């Protein structure tokens, strides 16, 4: 029923601020449905797990190697489930939706993500200038008109960070807060791809879109191009090595094509960015990443 309400609201053009409550409810319901399962049917998204993952909270878990990761556009998938794929959102609806979802923390959320929202407003101003091509012609999310500023990608980034990317980092930190020996590896799948049945996610890297690459199963009737095929093989080889290697051998890293994927450390927060033609590693003890978004979400405890 919530999904139907959001679709009806979306058909109104997503211009009514009252639409925000239905939208937020639907996004949260979609996330719950996607992550359903577990004990007693309770759902455990990464944010709910991260909320209980303070230092030492997971020290009782088995000390085995782990791979944690997410995709670059997780939030776009859940917005598509809510019936908003390819649609537009104005800034007032963004404010109202964030307010409904994050309540007293909403002003902080909007402040942290203000640079992204300001970039949208700046892009809108440039579009109004004669001779400047619309953003839809410059690349980016397909199917969105630039007749007015579209803040839906800002909400998508908020959801990506809150639901997946930042909780994965917090979970890794919690796992290594105790006397843990086995390595943990973090990745972000950032390869734009059309290998998905979700139209709004084509050209992006949405939720689960790493799986066709990992299992060499392109979305029919498509086939992998040369770069995609190389990435898929590199990922498959890396995961196979992870499955069969000893924790000691994994401590030296995993080869992913020409790149070595190092274990995650508290000091370096190393993350493998998977994309064609060459993946890359961000972070490291000598070049730590300043991640203000994840620092903010960690400070909230992921509870609202």
């Amino acid at each position: 029923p919530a999904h139907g309400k959001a679709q009806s609201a979306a058909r109104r053009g997503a211009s009514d601020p009252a639409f925000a409550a239905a939208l937020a409810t639907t996004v949260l319901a979609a996330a719950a449905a996607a992550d359903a399962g577990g004990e007693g049917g309770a759902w455990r998204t990464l944010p709910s797990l991260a909320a209980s993952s303070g230092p030492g909270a997971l020290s009782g878990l088995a000390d085995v190697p782990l791979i944690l990761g997410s995709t670059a556009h997780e939030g776009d998938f859940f917005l598509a489930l809510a019936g908003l794929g390819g649609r537009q959102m104005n800034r007032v609806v963004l404010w109202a939706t964030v307010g409904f979802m994050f309540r007293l923390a909403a002003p902080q959320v909007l402040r942290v993500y203000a640079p992204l929202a300001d970039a949208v407003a700046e892009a809108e101003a440039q579009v109004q200038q004669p001779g400047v091509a619309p953003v839809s012609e410059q690349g980016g999310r397909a199917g969105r008109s630039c007749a007015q500023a579209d803040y839906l990608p800002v909400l998508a980034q908020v959801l990506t960070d809150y639901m997946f990317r930042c909780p994965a980092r917090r979970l890794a930190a919690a796992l290594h807060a105790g006397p843990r020996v086995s390595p943990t590896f973090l990745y972000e799948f950032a390869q734009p791809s059309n290998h998905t049945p979700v139209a709004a996610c084509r050209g992006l890297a949405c939720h689960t879109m790493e799986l066709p690459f990992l299992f060499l199963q392109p979305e029919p009737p498509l086939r992998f191009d040369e770069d995609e095929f190389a990435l898929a093989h590199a990922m498959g080889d890396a995961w196979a090595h992870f499955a069969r290697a000893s924790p000691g051998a994994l401590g030296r890293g995993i080869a992913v094509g020409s790149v070595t994927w190092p274990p995650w450390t508290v000091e370096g927060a190393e993350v493998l960015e998977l994309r064609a033609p060459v993946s890359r590693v961000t972070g490291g003890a000598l070049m730590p990443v300043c991640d203000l978004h994840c620092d903010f979400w960690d400070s909230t405890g992921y509870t609202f």
Side-chain angles (χ1 to χ4, degrees):
H3 180 67
K5 280 202 274 186
Q7 284 187 317
S8 298
R11 283 195 290 270
R12 293 203 306 267
S15 58
D16 181 0
F19 156 75
L23 165 63
T25 300
T26 304
V27 171
L28 293 173
D35 290 297
E39 246 181 61
W43 62 281
R44 295 277 287 177
T45 60
L46 273 173
S48 67
L49 189 56
S52 61
S53 298
L58 302 179
S59 58
L61 292 183
D63 190 354
V64 295
L66 292 172
I67 291 179
L68 301 173
S70 59
T71 66
H73 304 111
E74 297 276 4
D76 288 83
F77 174 82
F78 293 98
L79 291 174
L81 287 189
L84 293 175
R87 299 183 183 275
Q88 289 192 327
M89 171 180 285
N90 63 38
R91 197 160 192 167
V92 173
V93 176
L94 171 68
W95 291 340
T97 305
V98 170
F100 186 88
M101 295 182 73
F102 300 108
R103 304 183 186 187
L104 294 179
Q108 294 173 282
V109 175
L110 292 170
R111 185 164 55 249
V112 168
Y113 288 86
L116 288 180
D118 292 344
V120 171
E122 183 179 346
E124 179 194 24
Q126 290 178 353
V127 166
Q128 305 306 320
Q129 299 175 14
V132 178
V135 175
S136 58
E137 294 177 14
Q138 299 173 5
R141 287 165 171 78
R144 290 181 182 167
S145 165
C146 289
Q148 63 179 19
D150 179 17
Y151 293 88
L152 196 64
V154 180
L155 180 60
Q157 187 62 55
V158 170
L159 295 177
T160 294
D161 292 345
Y162 164 68
M163 294 173 65
F164 290 94
R165 191 177 69 85
C166 299
R169 189 189 77 158
R170 180 175 170 88
L171 181 56
L175 287 167
H176 289 267
R180 187 175 176 82
V181 176
S182 298
T184 298
F185 297 86
L186 258 67
Y187 73 85
E188 180 181 72
F189 183 81
Q191 174 63 24
S193 170
N194 290 325
H195 297 282
T196 173
V198 182
C201 282
R202 289 169 191 154
L204 302 178
C206 281
H207 186 60
T208 72
M209 282 179 65
E210 72 269 49
L211 299 184
F213 288 79
L214 185 58
F215 295 104
L216 275 175
Q217 294 290 325
E219 180 70 18
L222 301 178
R223 296 184 179 183
F224 289 136
D225 62 28
E226 184 177 346
D227 285 341
E228 290 175 331
F229 191 73
L231 175 61
H233 266 282
M235 290 175 61
D237 290 346
W239 260 252
H241 176 75
F242 171 84
R244 63 174 177 261
S246 67
L250 290 174
R252 296 189 289 272
I254 301 173
V256 184
S258 61
V259 175
T260 298
W261 183 7
W264 188 91
T265 63
V266 175
E267 300 78 16
E270 298 85 350
V271 178
L272 175 68
E273 183 182 285
L274 291 161
R275 64 163 63 239
V278 180
S279 298
R280 69 185 184 114
V281 174
T282 62
L286 299 180
M287 49 180 179
V289 174
C290 179
D291 194 331
L292 297 179
H293 288 179
C294 288
D295 289 345
F296 163 70
W297 288 115
D298 286 353
S299 74
T300 69
Y302 298 87
T303 55
F304 303 97

